[in-house]
Amino acid sequence: MKILFIYKFLTLGGVETVLRARLEGLSQFGIEGTAWFLREMDGRPIFNGMDDRIKIGPIARLHEYLLQNSFDVISSIDTEEILDLLGAEESSSVYLLESHSPYVENLEYLRTLPEGLFDAILIPSRHQLGQVQKRLPFQLPLHVVPNPLGRLFAQELRSTGYRPPFPIVAWVGRLDALKDWRAFLSISARVANACPQARFWVAGRIAESGVETALYAEARRLGILKSVRWFRNLPHDNIPAFLDIVRRSGGVYLSSSGGESFGMTVAEAMARACPTVAPRLAPITEYLSDGENGRLYRRKDWREAAMIAGDLLRDPSERRRLGGNARMSILAQHGSEIAVEAYARLLRRIVRDARMAPVSNAHRVSTAGWL
């Protein structure tokens, strides 16, 4: 079986990390995967060593590629730009739509999705399922399938290595309003009042103009500039080691996100046994239970978030307990081999059902000059 994944941008994001894990793991299930990106940005390092599986180019080049290559499955990941192309292709491929975007404005295209084009929609969480259902104008098979974590996150934990002389409160994500880096700094300022020795590490790329200046100004205004360190272009392969340093420092991982379709950075922190503090926000609550494998705070209650983080900084036994439980639980659901196998099984079932259906994909008629 051959599958082609299509996505808008090649960036340092959650979709790309999911695709990396799938491209690595699907081959052991007899599935050959390739990913096509319409535009390259800063995400190529995620696919180091996989140049033969990555294609980049505009829709016109994608059209030529599809004419020269056949796939059993073509999966569009929130890439509405290719809907006309897929609708015009004379193809026996099974067409899938995957919805991963946490930005609700990016899901509005679902309201005008052409009926009969896709065979199924795949979603990474029950929360995202609801977001899709309320926008989809017709019925279509919907499947929740687990996101896979990268293999590096499941590697053995080591107690040796660099151990900072101060506890670290860490944040990882795209520096934009939804992930809410400003909230992280606000929480950090409160933690600093109770734990002056703490340091605050931010790892993420700029997503909006003016953020670099705003980040500096906000940290300075809050009086924590000297305690904040920004890792602007940290390669994704280095994130596990980054989180290991946070754990060994006696620190915590803290999310201030205002919206997720899955919450990859939270799951990655849990996989490295970092005690994790996150907002009580679906879909994070689908895999993080307060007091069992992490801590949750009320959304936008920065005072509560700071109190929880501060308590954990002072309680090594609780950090170890939560971190250990977090790693065990998240790998059991989203470890690469487990999640990729679940995806492979689902693919085979969807393809089988589509080929047995009385109405085939033959209704897709090539339309000359669609460009």
Side-chain angles (χ1 to χ4, degrees):
M1 183 186 294
K2 295 174 63 178
I3 181 170
L4 177 67
F5 300 100
I6 304 172
Y7 190 47
K8 297 173 185 282
F9 305 128
L10 177 50
T11 67
L12 292 170
V15 168
E16 290 80 0
T17 60
V18 166
L19 288 179
R20 168 78 198 215
R22 287 180 182 171
L23 294 182
E24 283 183 327
L26 283 173
S27 58
Q28 66 179 305
F29 301 103
I31 301 174
E32 178 185 335
T34 303
W36 185 288
F37 298 92
L38 297 183
R39 179 182 171 190
E40 181 173 4
M41 297 178 70
D42 57 357
R44 187 178 283 270
I46 289 179
F47 297 95
N48 283 340
M50 305 188 76
D51 289 347
D52 60 325
R53 314 284 287 280
I54 302 302
K55 311 294 180 183
I56 302 167
I59 295 178
R61 284 181 54 195
L62 173 60
H63 177 53
E64 295 173 0
Y65 182 74
L66 290 175
L67 291 175
Q68 298 166 7
N69 298 271
S70 61
F71 294 90
D72 298 284
V73 180
I74 296 176
S75 177
S76 169
I77 306 175
D78 284 323
T79 304
E80 66 273 19
E81 294 89 342
I82 68 164
L83 294 181
D84 288 343
L85 168 60
L86 294 183
E89 287 293 303
E90 185 176 355
S91 172
S92 61
S93 301
V94 170
Y95 286 172
L96 300 181
L97 176 67
E98 296 199 45
S99 179
H100 287 251
S101 179
Y103 300 89
V104 292
E105 64 272 17
N106 292 346
L107 300 177
E108 290 304 301
Y109 77 94
L110 294 171
R111 299 187 187 278
T112 57
L113 200 67
E115 188 170 3
L117 180 60
F118 291 101
D119 295 278
I121 298 180
L122 277 56
I123 311 103
S125 66
R126 295 190 298 275
H127 166 75
Q128 191 73 358
L129 174 67
Q131 295 294 319
V132 171
Q133 283 178 320
K134 67 184 181 182
R135 291 172 172 83
L136 198 63
F138 48 82
Q139 289 190 340
L140 196 62
L142 302 172
H143 304 276
V144 176
V145 60
N147 272 345
L149 291 160
R151 294 181 183 276
L152 292 177
F153 291 91
Q155 286 185 340
E156 181 184 355
L157 299 178
R158 293 182 174 85
S159 58
T160 58
Y162 174 58
R163 185 189 300 271
F166 43 76
I168 299 165
V169 180
W171 184 97
V172 179
R174 185 176 282 113
L175 290 163
D176 65 12
L178 183 65
K179 304 306 180 183
D180 208 348
W181 59 269
R182 290 182 182 273
F184 174 72
L185 292 184
S186 180
I187 296 167
S188 297
R190 288 176 165 85
V191 173
N193 287 333
C195 306
Q197 73 277 23
R199 297 295 182 269
F200 308 97
W201 285 8
V202 174
R205 69 177 184 86
I206 292 175
E208 301 167 343
S209 61
V211 168
E212 183 172 8
T213 301
L215 180 66
Y216 175 89
E218 185 68 2
R220 185 173 183 177
R221 183 186 71 81
L222 292 169
I224 57 173
L225 182 60
K226 292 183 179 180
S227 300
V228 174
R229 184 176 180 184
W230 176 25
F231 297 80
R232 180 170 181 168
N233 292 306
L234 187 66
H236 188 259
D237 282 355
N238 291 355
I239 294 293
F242 173 89
L243 293 168
D244 288 348
I245 291 172
V246 174
R247 185 187 69 251
R248 287 196 296 264
S249 78
V252 301
Y253 178 83
L254 193 147
S255 170
S256 54
S257 178
E260 299 287 350
S261 64
F262 170 64
M264 183 61 76
T265 62
V266 173
E268 288 174 344
M270 293 173 66
R272 296 313 295 169
C274 269
T276 300
V277 181
R280 195 178 299 274
L281 172 78
I284 294 173
T285 51
E286 294 179 23
Y287 54 83
L288 194 157
S289 299
D290 188 40
E292 294 183 17
N293 58 358
R295 292 299 314 275
L296 297 169
Y297 63 89
R298 290 183 294 272
R299 289 186 63 185
K300 299 187 178 182
D301 191 336
W302 313 141
R303 186 182 301 277
E304 183 183 27
M307 181 185 68
I308 291 172
D311 287 346
L312 286 175
L313 294 182
R314 292 185 290 269
D315 193 338
S317 63
E318 183 68 354
R319 290 197 307 271
R320 286 192 296 269
R321 184 184 73 84
L322 292 176
N325 289 346
R327 177 172 168 83
M328 181 171 60
S329 63
I330 202 69
L331 291 180
Q333 299 177 61
H334 298 281
S336 179
E337 292 185 4
I338 292 171
V340 171
E341 182 179 6
Y343 187 83
R345 285 199 309 268
L346 179 60
L347 278 186
R348 293 195 181 281
R349 178 155 60 90
I350 291 173
V351 170
R352 181 199 63 206
D353 292 349
R355 288 174 176 169
M356 292 176 61
V359 179
S360 72
N361 294 337
H363 65 281
R364 301 179 187 129
V365 179
S366 179
T367 304
W370 66 270
L371 288 173

